């Protein structure tokens, strides 16, 4: 969803889904009906190996995978660590309030953001500290180097001490009339903090917040606030120092985070992030077309309309597959080579809530109703 800001205060969400804006539909207009899917080809033979249950997911969840463990946050503020090998609960803690973003972790400390704009750090089932932000956030905090970094919805960036929550520094950018109520871009590349700010990837010194470089993926244009919205959306593709990202409804592009050099930028019309394998990038456009681009030039490699209008998640590259979930709870495995169908399977029908992740040799999928599913090839 898109939120409106005036004078630094939130007025609430517009009655437009991001995908509807991208498709050029008027507010309240019905979405086109997806075509009926053909019978499943079942070329991979994926089987469900475990299932877990959380409370419903009603915020932009980012699932954090680390080794054979996976961290998930539910809408009520519960943070759960699961063993991806068997679905067993390894740990659980609570932020004590509904969430707007999460979860980030360095393996010891986890962090989420509540709807009351509080960053909450958790460790070993207990709360370490909480810090109130001056703005909302929809991006999972980055926990790294003994610090917690938080990207605000107003494009501010705040660094907090990982042990006590003390503010170390902040970076503020001019706010726009509209911001996206979905996860942005925030990651560490070597000793540089990389954040998405108003259509740009920005490289920042994590010690003091000084900007090292800026690289434009897209520039704002158009005649109204929606058309001028070019925030970068996660997830991104990272291969070494090369970061490839999507600007909402505008473009995709790749930047060398070593020095901020823009390698290329191409028009694209999507609302979810990208995945890559070094040779190609993969992503879903607003209308559900899944596309592949050459990673070195941005030229289109292939596209498929088989999932058109299915409201897809960001992609995951897994083996020879590109994995995406849809709003009906189906998970689709497409060929990295040409986008042809390899397999698909159903969850609980409530819609896939986040980009699927791989933890060890397990594919982990989370649904809107809080279902967590672990899959492996047979």
């Amino acid at each position: 969803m898109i939120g409106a800001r005036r004078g630094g205060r939130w007025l609430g969400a517009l009655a437009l889904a991001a995908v509807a804006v991208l498709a050029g539909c008027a507010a309240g207009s019905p979405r086109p009906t997806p075509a009926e899917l053909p019978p499943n080809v079942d070329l991979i033979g994926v089987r469900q190996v475990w299932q877990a249950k959380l409370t419903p997911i009603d915020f932009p969840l980012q699932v954090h995978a680390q080794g054979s463990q996976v961290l998930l946050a539910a809408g009520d503020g519960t943070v759960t660590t699961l063993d991806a090998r068997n679905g067993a609960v390894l740990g659980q803690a609570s932020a004590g309030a509904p969430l707007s973003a999460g979860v980030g972790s360095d393996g010891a400390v986890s962090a989420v953001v509540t709807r009351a704009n509080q960053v909450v750090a958790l460790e070993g089932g207990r709360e370490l500290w909480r810090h109130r932000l001056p703005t909302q956030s929809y991006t999972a905090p980055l926990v790294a180097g003994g610090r917690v970094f938080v990207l605000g919805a107003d494009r501010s960036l705040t660094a907090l001490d990982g042990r006590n929550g003390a503010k170390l520094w902040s970076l503020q950018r001019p706010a726009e009339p509209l911001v996206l109520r979905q996860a942005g871009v925030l990651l560490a590349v070597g000793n540089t903090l990389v954040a998405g700010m108003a259509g740009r990837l920005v490289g920042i010194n994590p010690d003091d917040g000084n900007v090292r470089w800026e690289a434009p993926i897209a520039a704002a244009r158009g005649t109204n606030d929606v058309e001028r919205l070019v925030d970068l959306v996660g997830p991104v593709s990272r291969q070494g120092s090369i970061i490839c990202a999507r600007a909402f409804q505008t473009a995709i592009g790749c930047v060398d985070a070593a020095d901020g050099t823009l390698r290329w930028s191409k028009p694209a019309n999507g609302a979810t992030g990208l995945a890559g394998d070094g040779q190609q990038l993969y992503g879903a456009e607003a209308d559900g077309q899944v596309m592949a681009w050459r990673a070195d030039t941005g030229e289109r490699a292939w596209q498929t309309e088989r999932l058109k209008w299915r409201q897809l998640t960001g992609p995951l590259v897994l083996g020879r597959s590109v994995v995406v979930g849809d709003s009906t709870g189906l998970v689709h495995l497409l060929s990295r080579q040409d986008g042809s169908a390899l397999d698909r399977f159903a969850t609980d029908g409530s819609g896939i809530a986040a980009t699927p992740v791989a933890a060890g040799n397990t594919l982990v999928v989370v649904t809107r109703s809080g279902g967590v599913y672990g899959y492996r090839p047979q």
Side-chain angles (χ1 to χ4, degrees):
M1 298 295 287
I2 301 172
R5 296 184 77 256
R6 292 294 185 272
R9 298 189 60 181
W10 284 88
L11 299 179
L14 296 179
L16 281 173
V19 287
V21 174
L22 289 172
C25 300
S29 299
R31 288 179 56 80
T33 301
E36 185 175 347
L37 292 170
N40 186 27
V41 293
D42 195 16
L43 294 179
I44 294 181
V46 176
R47 64 186 177 93
Q48 181 182 325
V49 292
W50 54 262
Q51 180 177 348
K53 183 66 175 178
L54 308 176
T55 56
I57 310 298
D58 56 359
F59 69 101
L61 170 67
Q62 293 171 268
V63 181
H64 183 85
Q66 192 159 26
S68 63
Q69 296 183 7
V70 59
L71 278 76
L72 312 105
D76 65 355
T78 303
V79 177
T80 302
T81 303
L82 299 178
D83 187 332
R85 296 170 295 187
N86 53 25
V89 176
L90 300 177
Q92 201 164 61
S94 177
L99 300 182
S100 65
V103 58
S105 178
D106 64 359
V109 175
S110 302
V112 294
V113 184
T114 72
R115 294 182 188 174
N117 305 343
Q118 289 188 319
V119 185
V120 182
L122 306 164
E123 182 182 41
R126 65 185 181 90
E127 179 180 318
L128 279 179
W129 50 261
R130 59 181 58 213
H131 175 94
R132 183 175 294 278
L133 299 171
T135 184
Q136 291 175 300
S137 175
Y138 303 105
T139 304
L142 174 65
V143 186
R147 286 158 289 185
V148 176
F149 302 97
V150 187
L151 182 65
D154 63 351
R155 301 177 180 87
S156 62
L157 186 61
T158 303
L160 306 173
D161 188 293
R163 300 312 305 175
N164 56 29
K167 182 178 175 180
L168 302 175
W169 54 260
S170 64
L171 176 64
Q172 187 72 44
R173 289 298 177 96
E176 300 291 337
L178 299 180
V179 296
L180 289 174
R181 292 177 181 259
Q182 67 185 79
V185 174
L186 183 62
L187 71 159
V189 182
N191 66 343
T192 298
L193 186 64
V194 179
M197 296 181 175
R200 294 171 173 263
L201 279 177
V202 181
I204 301 147
N205 185 332
D207 295 326
D208 55 20
N210 288 328
V211 173
R212 290 174 169 165
W213 51 258
E214 296 190 25
I217 300 294
R221 59 181 183 270
T223 59
N224 59 56
D225 290 339
V226 172
E227 292 175 345
R228 294 179 60 81
L229 188 58
V230 292
D231 270 339
L232 302 189
V233 298
V236 300
S237 168
R238 177 186 173 187
Q239 301 292 326
S241 65
I242 306 301
I243 307 300
C244 300
R246 181 189 292 277
F248 176 77
Q249 75 179 2
T250 309
I252 62 171
C254 292
V255 173
D256 189 338
D259 57 10
T261 302
L262 176 67
R263 303 190 78 185
W264 56 262
S265 178
K266 298 286 185 179
N269 188 21
T272 55
L274 303 174
D277 56 17
Q279 301 300 314
Q280 295 186 147
L281 299 173
Y282 309 95
E285 297 294 270
D287 60 3
Q289 293 187 75
V290 181
M291 293 189 178
W293 299 268
R294 287 186 54 181
D296 56 349
T297 65
E299 298 301 319
R300 188 173 301 172
W302 54 256
Q303 70 183 79
T304 176
E305 297 188 357
R306 68 180 64 251
L307 304 181
K308 200 169 183 179
W309 304 119
R310 289 192 171 272
Q311 300 184 53
L312 303 178
T313 67
L316 166 71
V317 174
L318 184 65
R320 61 188 176 116
S321 304
V322 179
V323 184
V324 292
D326 72 23
S327 60
T328 70
L330 292 175
V331 180
H332 306 267
L333 279 67
L334 306 178
S335 168
R336 287 165 52 186
Q337 182 176 4
D338 58 11
S340 59
L342 296 178
D343 208 341
R344 74 170 180 265
F345 43 90
T347 55
D348 57 22
S350 66
I352 307 303
T355 298
V357 301
N361 64 344
T362 304
L363 170 63
V364 180
V365 177
V366 185
T367 70
R368 289 288 174 195
S369 66
V372 188
Y373 298 83
Y375 300 92
R376 294 194 196 108
Q378 294 179 342

